[in-house]
Amino acid sequence: MIAGLPPVARLAVVFAAGSALVTPGAWFLAPLLILLVAAPIRASRRPELRVLWAMSAFAGATAGLAGDHVDRRCDLGARDGAPASVTGRLLAEGIRTLPFEVHHSRRCRVKIRIKGGTVPLGPLVDISGRWSAWSGGFTLEVDAVESVQAPGWDPMGLLLRWRGHLVRRLHVLYPDHGGVVAALTLARKESLDPDVRESFVETGTAHLLAISGFHVGVVAGILMVAFRSMGAGRRPAGALAAGGAWVYVAFIGFPAAACRAALILTAAASTRWRGRPVARFGALGAALLALVVWDPGSLSSPGFQLSFAGAGALVRWGPPVAARLRSLGAGYVPRGLCSAAAAGMAATLGTLPIVAWHFERVSLVGIPATLVASPLVVLALPGALVSLGADLVSPAIGGFLAGGVTVVLVVLTEFIGWLGSHDWASVWVTRGVILALLAGASIGLLVGSGTRIRARVRRSVAVLAALAAVVGWPLLQGVERRGTFELLMIDVGQGDAIALRTPGGRWILVDAGPPARSADPGAQGAVRALRRRGVGEIDLLVLTHPDLDHIGGAVAVLRSFQVRRVLDPGLAAGKGAYLEVLEAALDEGSPWLIAEAGQVFDIDGVKLRVLHPDPGPPSREPTQDANDVSVVIHVEYGDFDALLTGDAPTAVERSLAQGMEAGFELLKVAHHGSDTSTDSLLLARVRPEVALVSVGRGNRYGHPSPSVLARLESADIALYRTDRQGTIRVRARQDGRFTVRARGIHGR
């Protein structure tokens, strides 16, 4: 495949390969890059060409090492709590962490969170604050903007402010879908809802949110049709469409992926103007070479990688796959449908390794999801651009046009959200598994492309590789599953039920929710959710305290599963529901344990440390408030920490906070968000990244309390609620990385 590339494409591949091997964020492509470098060298029979390829790779590596933007993460002495003062510019506005380009000996980008002051978009500013550990890295929490430098003639600042103005106008035109439209049209994802982004990742359609040849091609195609309808010839129309594409690229701020597409269109239009056939790989290679020479560090950008991977796959596999589909359809399937299906399959397969590496997800529904979503994007993209252009002239006309586009956006986001909400939509993979698969694919392609190997042998290698994938994929899934910890906050209405799955596949249930209205155990929310996941045994059932909204479903759980142990605070409650749970545990032979601070349960590497209640008499006073003895558990899996607080009141939280340290990734908000819990001292000491609230829709208690929501908001903690988002799923790895998935809109 590589041997048949035009010379400029070979040169670009080898140059980019050398640069990527020394560029942080792109080295994971090493197995395939070795193949791309080795194939043209091996295919060149002339020694001087082999020397040329080797020199090109060396030049790429040299450019990568010398590139001004190669290390976008930069080392500024970041450590948790350390003070910092830097000069740079804010690149975009958004809802959470924001990109900030630091100007020092080497330009680089960091993430900031604005705690105090206002950071203007675009101009160079001096900011000060403190580093904070956040999502596996460090974020600069800005406390103050010390000074704003005189702008003078600052084209970059003007460009950023112009783009920021456009993003704000899109949010006015599309109040519920502004983040999606900004990503589709302007390549800005900072205001994109995290759950919407996650849905696109899980369904394998994340490439639709990255400005690429698809988006620029849609704009150029519309312009081409418009110019042809005005009487322009094919060649002039192509040249004018390429020029219009550059206007669009300038309009959105010259993102690298859009520049790539515009360069390809320009090269194709130039070739057609001279009456020569278009070498698609030649145009793609020329664009790759130009962009990598201009900025070698762009190879570390996920958008850049997705753009070229999708374009290369589309050029290489699109036409043959479309021809094969047409032959299988025997003339009964429309030609356009075959081409669309082929394009979706090629783009999905080509971007699969990139998406898997950056998002650690492999979608199982990527191809059908792309087939459905792509036409919707084709409709939404030009409509959104027209509405934005009209808004600049007349806000009334822009708003009218935006109303029609909103219908398409609702269909798109609802479909992607519904499809991504299913557990089977995607699987979690480790980067080690991805590297193994890439290495295997590289070796297979290298062997299979050998000209000295018989065709029968090459076909046999391909068949064996396919069989290995079919047989090995379930094994890899099993290995991957054993390295993942999962937490489910089950939507049981006004109550608590949290299921934990260990890397070894064993289950722990913390509380069982309120009782079901039906006598059928399967009608109980926790039972139903666990059955859907194939649970047959619960290693530990924790009942934090004997209130009905926590133990009401315990009898159904004990009757439905084999429960090895039951843990509770040992409060001598005379409530009928509590006595029924005791009797059910006795009937099922489940041992009963009394929870006391200091106990540790280690199940497959997941440690449950009981923090409360303190050791006390064998039978606590029946008149004691049940919330005062609520079991509080610190769940620890490697570097991932979660605090499950039951219904513990403020006094208990303050007592526990004295001995806690920052670094928790997750907090289960106590007492369903009641103002009797979630103390500011606890939040300041624990500093969780995510908070989960289990609460019923329209409950009569007014949970969660506005004061609690305000405290969480002021602490910049991402909030998820079962009343708005249903069952919430958290998946974590030992290195502390985790993802949160919910069906509804992000709670913030």
Side-chain angles (χ1 to χ4, degrees):
M1 179 183 72
I2 304 298
L5 291 179
V8 66
R10 294 194 199 181
L11 181 65
V13 165
V14 176
F15 186 90
S19 182
L21 287 172
V22 298
T23 301
W27 63 266
F28 74 96
L29 293 173
L32 287 179
L33 293 174
I34 291 173
L35 170 66
L36 296 177
V37 172
I41 293 177
R42 188 180 63 175
S44 300
R45 297 180 179 179
R46 298 168 57 184
E48 58 270 23
L49 288 181
R50 298 187 181 185
V51 174
L52 175 62
W53 303 137
M55 292 177 62
S56 299
F58 179 77
T62 303
L65 291 173
D68 188 37
H69 296 274
V70 64
D71 188 0
R72 297 176 184 271
R73 296 170 296 180
C74 61
D75 181 12
L76 297 174
R79 63 183 185 277
D80 196 28
S85 180
V86 296
T87 299
R89 64 174 87 240
L90 185 66
L91 300 180
E93 298 170 326
I95 58 176
R96 295 195 66 187
T97 57
L98 305 175
F100 188 86
E101 185 176 76
V102 179
H103 286 236
H104 66 322
S105 59
R106 300 179 74 183
R107 291 185 180 182
C108 57
R109 294 180 184 178
V110 298
K111 293 290 186 179
I112 66 171
R113 288 190 294 164
I114 303 173
K115 303 297 244 181
T118 300
V119 180
L121 180 65
L124 288 173
V125 296
D126 299 322
I127 61 174
S128 60
R130 291 185 177 274
W131 293 108
S132 174
W134 185 265
S135 298
F138 288 96
T139 297
L140 179 58
E141 296 184 348
V142 180
D143 296 324
V145 181
E146 297 180 351
S147 65
V148 179
Q149 297 185 7
W153 170 243
D154 184 11
M156 177 59 70
L158 292 174
L159 176 63
L160 292 174
R161 288 193 291 275
W162 164 249
R163 193 163 58 186
H165 170 71
L166 295 179
V167 171
R168 288 190 291 272
R169 291 308 307 169
L170 285 176
H171 279 277
V172 173
L173 290 170
Y174 303 92
D176 296 327
H177 300 88
V180 175
V181 180
L184 287 175
T185 59
L186 303 178
R188 302 316 311 176
K189 301 187 183 70
E190 289 78 15
S191 59
L192 183 62
D193 188 282
D195 280 333
V196 175
R197 183 200 297 260
E198 182 73 6
S199 295
F200 276 88
V201 171
E202 294 211 5
T203 56
T205 54
H207 58 281
L208 295 178
L209 292 179
I211 292 293
S212 63
F214 175 79
H215 302 74
V216 179
V218 169
V219 174
I222 294 173
L223 292 175
M224 183 78 172
V225 172
F227 290 131
R228 290 299 302 274
S229 65
M230 296 177 186
R234 185 175 183 83
R235 294 179 185 179
L240 291 172
W246 277 111
V247 173
Y248 169 62
V249 171
F251 182 74
I252 63 178
F254 295 100
C259 290
R260 185 269 304 167
L263 284 171
I264 293 175
L265 288 172
T266 302
S270 174
T271 303
R272 288 196 183 98
W273 189 272
R274 292 179 294 171
R276 297 181 179 180
V278 177
R280 292 172 295 179
F281 269 120
L284 184 62
L288 175 62
L289 184 61
L291 292 176
V292 174
V293 170
W294 177 260
D295 182 10
S298 61
L299 284 168
S300 64
S301 168
F304 188 95
Q305 297 167 11
L306 286 170
S307 175
F308 276 96
L314 190 61
V315 171
R316 176 62 182 87
W317 296 324
V321 171
R324 183 60 177 169
L325 291 177
R326 286 194 295 269
S327 65
L328 293 175
Y332 294 100
V333 180
R335 187 183 185 91
L337 181 59
C338 292
S339 299
M345 294 171 64
T348 300
L349 293 175
T351 56
L352 183 63
I354 312 296
V355 172
W357 177 265
H358 289 289
F359 302 104
E360 297 187 310
R361 296 272 187 185
V362 172
S363 174
L364 303 180
V365 296
I367 293 175
T370 300
L371 290 177
V372 175
S374 294
L376 296 174
V377 173
V378 171
L379 291 174
L381 178 59
L385 289 173
V386 171
S387 67
L388 181 59
D391 178 73
L392 298 176
V393 178
S394 171
I397 297 176
F400 174 77
L401 296 174
V405 179
T406 299
V407 176
V408 180
L409 294 172
V410 169
V411 176
L412 174 65
T413 54
E414 288 295 325
F415 169 72
I416 295 296
W418 169 81
L419 191 59
S421 67
H422 295 86
D423 292 335
W424 43 260
S426 65
V427 294
W428 185 306
V429 296
T430 62
R431 292 187 169 181
V433 170
I434 298 168
L435 285 176
L437 292 175
L438 288 176
S442 300
I443 294 172
L445 289 173
L446 192 60
V447 173
S449 62
T451 56
R452 298 181 181 179
I453 302 176
R454 295 181 179 179
R456 181 178 299 177
V457 176
R458 293 200 299 268
R459 287 194 296 268
S460 299
V461 170
V463 172
L464 289 175
L467 290 175
V470 172
V471 175
W473 180 252
L475 297 178
L476 291 174
Q477 272 193 278
V479 172
E480 173 59 31
R481 188 176 178 86
R482 295 188 66 84
T484 304
F485 165 71
E486 186 175 20
L487 181 149
L488 294 174
M489 175 170 276
I490 303 170
D491 181 13
V492 292
Q494 185 67 15
D496 270 11
I498 302 174
L500 313 176
R501 183 188 59 76
T502 71
R506 293 198 279 182
W507 288 85
I508 303 158
L509 184 63
V510 180
D511 288 324
R517 296 180 180 180
S518 171
D520 179 15
Q524 207 278 331
V527 172
R528 186 169 59 252
L530 293 175
R531 280 180 175 176
R532 282 201 299 264
R533 288 164 175 80
V535 178
E537 179 180 283
I538 295 176
D539 196 79
L540 177 65
L541 171 61
V542 181
L543 302 176
T544 58
H545 60 292
D547 281 352
L548 194 61
D549 57 340
H550 292 252
I551 68 168
V555 172
V557 170
L558 288 163
R559 302 296 188 198
S560 302
F561 308 101
Q562 181 181 350
V563 179
R564 294 185 59 194
R565 294 169 289 180
V566 181
L567 179 73
D568 94 319
L571 180 64
K575 300 178 181 179
Y578 185 69
L579 297 177
E580 289 179 7
V581 177
L582 289 173
E583 293 176 359
L586 181 63
D587 293 342
E588 301 298 332
S590 301
W592 199 281
L593 307 176
I594 303 300
E596 293 183 345
Q599 291 173 321
V600 178
F601 298 87
D602 192 336
I603 306 174
D604 297 333
V606 178
K607 294 181 180 180
L608 280 73
R609 304 180 185 275
V610 179
L611 305 181
H612 187 75
D614 293 326
S619 178
R620 294 181 168 88
E621 294 296 333
T623 58
Q624 190 171 5
D625 190 337
N627 292 343
D628 292 338
V629 295
S630 183
V631 178
V632 179
I633 298 175
H634 174 192
V635 180
E636 181 182 358
Y637 178 57
D639 293 334
F640 177 82
D641 297 273
L643 186 63
L644 309 183
T645 54
D647 279 1
T650 298
V652 172
E653 291 181 340
R654 290 179 178 175
S655 175
L656 295 176
Q658 300 299 327
M660 289 186 175
E661 297 181 356
F664 280 74
E665 280 69 34
L666 185 144
L667 169 68
K668 182 268 173 187
V669 175
H671 205 180
H672 321 291
S674 169
D675 57 8
T676 61
S677 304
T678 316
D679 184 63
S680 297
L681 176 61
L682 178 74
L683 296 179
R685 297 301 296 268
V686 174
R687 295 177 64 184
E689 297 184 27
V690 170
L692 309 183
V693 181
S694 183
V695 63
R697 298 170 184 81
N699 65 87
R700 60 189 177 91
Y701 306 101
H703 295 160
S705 167
S707 60
V708 171
L709 295 178
R711 286 196 289 271
L712 294 171
E713 176 70 22
S714 63
D716 198 23
I717 299 172
L719 177 65
Y720 290 80
R721 301 166 47 167
T722 58
D723 62 334
R724 294 184 177 179
Q725 297 153 298
T727 295
I728 301 165
R729 182 183 67 204
V730 180
R731 285 179 175 172
R733 305 201 59 78
Q734 281 191 316
D735 60 5
R737 290 178 296 166
F738 68 99
T739 60
V740 184
R741 184 72 187 93
R743 294 187 179 183
I745 300 174
H746 192 270
R748 296 186 63 193

